Amino acid sequence: MTRIEIIGQLDERYDEILTEEALRFLTRLHDQFAGRRHDRLAARTEQRRQIDNGRDLKFLSATAAIREEPNWRVAGPGPGLEDRRVEITGPTDRKMTINALNSGAKVWLADHEDATSPTWENVIGGQLNLSDAIRRRIDFTSDDGKQYTLGQTTPTIVMRPRGWHLVEKHLRYTDQAGLRSPAAASLVDFGLYFFHNAKELIARGTGPYFYLPKLENHLEARLWDDVFTFSENALGIQHGTIRATVLIETISAAFEMEEILYELREHCAGLNAGRWDYIFSIIKNFRGRGASFVLPDRASITMTVPFMRAYTELLVATCHRRGAHAIGGMSAFIPNRRDPEVTERALAAVTADKRREAGDGFDGTWVAHPDLVVTARAEFDAVLGERPNQVDRLRPDVNVTAADLLDLRIDGTVTDAGVRSNVSIALRYIESWLRGVGAAAIDNLMEDAATAEISRSQLWQWMHQRVVTAEGTAVTHAGVEAELARQVAVFPRTADDRLDDAAEVFRSVTLGEDFPTFLTITAYTRFLVDTAQPRAA
């Protein structure tokens, strides 16, 4: 039986995804793993408390034997994942789905996480679009009559569910003791996609592949591995068919890369350097630890500063030692087809970024726009040639210490312009997110939830650490509030904008005494939940 109730509106075709069988599968996933998920989230809270109290992260002595054993390897790429030199990321709305699949990339990261605003329409509509795309029955006609259809060759799909910390309040789970709670968003996204598409993907020559976001340690990876094994058994699929790529986008996970690979070794394809969330994680975890942990303007935090360099070098070396792919991150610069000068700057920045990654040993990289695929591919083609990857490049020269990962020395300052930029990016992104758009082009950069998190968390830290800008301005609550008011006043208003709500969210996550762990939790709870009555499936 199912103990998952549908709270959200049942729109056209939703019954194709929210079937009785699928809801029973979600019920089984929650029965097995909801309690362990809560335990892992409680452990996160405790670790943040310890760091805040002065405890520094280190490589775990309890798992030293795993790191020291030279012979174990991960499963490696599944069919269609051998060559990942360019991956395009993006949300799963219908137009973006077709554009991503026609981009010429090797892989499409179908994103239900940071690039998707989790409206009920986006969550279930995205599942419908993925189902249609996999079966090649997807098309789209825009308001101006332009038609979009799939080309002959499409990338391998790797789906990214939401992280362990998020819930899906449009579905309500009742446990075996009768207690009700919102469903776990991670299990919903994974479960619906896997249930409806795993066998179809296998029949078409690939498989059910996933990107795993926001992991903080190897025990969270173990939980995902158990979810995979349970799900394969439930659907009668061969063990190890699922392949996962883990985003190393938290500072604690950087200290446990090898252990994360080990826990997922029978299902693991690789690791990804999720750079923006990684920066956010450092600010979040060390925000109260004093001036030595204060980072300068975001523009100064490049991939070549010491702590980012150590993180990426360690990731490549760790992956290749264990037979895993190392996938690079996403440069935020995007082209503008109406502005050749902007496009030229974006292509130059992306070229340099991808040249560095390919030269460092990464096996592939991310782009956020179809027009960047050719640029990124050229840099990886120059290094890889006809080879699908460079996993055989072991990087014995890399020796990264715990101190290296926490070396936050940067040649940069906090500036008045940096304060203004952070207010602007956070406000405008939250407004976009509340309208259901989770990947937003702002000032010729592709912003998602992670970059908005950097913006608001830097402001919080600068205020609480009494930072003074290079121009001599103290970063204060009143000053940030005044800048927010100024930007609200000049924002171009429309009938359907969410500016007032965005300003309220900004104040909650930036100007309060407490520091909310994720702005999306606050925004989702207040503004994105449909309060319709429960419905039978």
Side-chain angles (χ1 to χ4, degrees), residues 284-359:
K284 175 168 62 177
N285 280 285
F286 297 102
R287 67 191 185 279
R289 290 280 296 272
S292 62
F293 288 92
V294 172
L295 295 177
D297 288 358
R298 171 183 157 191
S300 301
I301 312 172
T302 68
M303 296 305 295
T304 59
V305 301
F307 76 94
M308 295 299 284
R309 187 73 181 153
Y311 149 67
T312 54
E313 291 278 85
L314 180 61
L315 188 144
V316 171
T318 301
C319 282
H320 290 182
R321 184 180 183 218
R322 301 305 182 181
H325 283 181
I327 308 300
M330 184 173 68
S331 172
F333 294 93
I334 54 173
N336 185 331
R337 292 171 181 174
R338 295 180 298 276
D339 190 331
E341 186 176 339
V342 167
T343 296
E344 184 179 355
R345 288 199 302 268
L347 293 180
V350 170
T351 294
D353 186 61
K354 304 316 172 190
R355 183 172 297 163
R356 176 189 50 76
E357 287 183 329

Side-chain angles (χ1 to χ4, degrees), residues 477-516:
H477 184 286
V480 173
E481 179 72 66
E483 179 60 28
L484 173 64
R486 188 191 69 79
Q487 296 202 24
V488 167
V490 300
F491 190 95
R493 303 302 298 260
T494 63
D496 61 348
D497 73 49
R498 300 295 299 275
L499 183 64
D500 296 332
D501 294 337
E504 182 180 335
V505 172
F506 179 94
R507 291 186 184 95
S508 297
V509 301
T510 309
L511 297 175
E513 186 62 29
D514 294 330
F515 183 88

Side-chain angles (χ1 to χ4, degrees), residues 81-264:
L81 283 181
E82 298 87 355
D83 188 333
R84 305 177 64 171
R85 68 187 67 200
V86 182
E87 304 189 352
I88 190 166
T89 74
T92 56
D93 63 87
R94 209 158 183 87
K95 178 182 173 182
M96 293 292 286
T97 293
I98 297 171
N99 283 344
L101 291 173
N102 288 338
S103 67
K106 290 291 187 179
V107 168
W108 173 39
L109 188 163
D111 195 3
H112 272 220
E113 205 234 0
D114 273 1
T116 290
S117 169
T119 64
W120 183 231
E121 178 183 4
N122 285 345
V123 169
I124 304 303
Q127 293 281 352
L128 282 165
N129 294 334
L130 287 167
S131 176
D132 287 347
I134 289 164
R135 292 160 180 83
R136 296 191 61 84
R137 64 190 183 203
I138 191 170
D139 56 25
F140 176 75
T141 302
S142 65
D143 292 340
D144 60 5
K146 185 176 180 181
Q147 294 186 330
Y148 297 78
T149 58
L150 287 185
Q152 283 297 111
T153 303
T154 57
T156 300
I157 298 173
V158 181
M159 191 265 193
R160 176 160 69 164
R162 283 169 284 178
W164 285 127
H165 61 292
L166 297 171
V167 296
E168 178 49 69
K169 292 195 173 187
H170 299 97
L171 295 173
R172 186 163 66 194
Y173 165 61
T174 303
D175 69 15
Q176 291 167 316
L179 298 176
R180 294 178 172 179
S181 62
S186 48
L187 296 179
V188 169
D189 294 346
F190 162 82
L192 292 176
Y193 180 77
F194 181 81
F195 182 84
H196 288 295
N197 301 304
K199 291 182 179 179
E200 185 71 24
L201 286 161
I202 294 165
R204 291 176 179 269
T206 60
Y209 303 146
F210 298 91
Y211 259 109
L212 302 182
K214 305 291 190 292
L215 266 65
E216 297 201 5
N217 56 60
H218 70 284
L219 296 179
E220 295 182 13
R222 181 183 299 172
L223 177 55
W224 267 120
D225 193 70
D226 290 344
V227 169
F228 294 159
T229 296
F230 176 88
S231 300
E232 289 167 337
N233 290 337
L235 267 63
I237 291 172
Q238 182 177 351
H239 179 73
T241 299
I242 292 173
R243 288 293 192 277
T245 304
V246 177
L247 291 117
I248 302 299
E249 53 187 354
T250 65
I251 180 62
S252 55
F255 282 87
E256 300 183 33
M257 292 188 207
E258 209 145 9
E259 293 89 337
I260 287 169
L261 288 174
Y262 183 81
E263 294 293 346
L264 283 159

Side-chain angles (χ1 to χ4, degrees), residues 40-51 216 517:
R40 299 273 40 92
L41 293 179
R44 285 185 180 184
T45 301
E46 174 59 20
Q47 181 173 69
R48 282 194 297 271
R49 186 191 66 80
Q50 291 182 13
I51 293 172
E216 297 201 5
T517 54

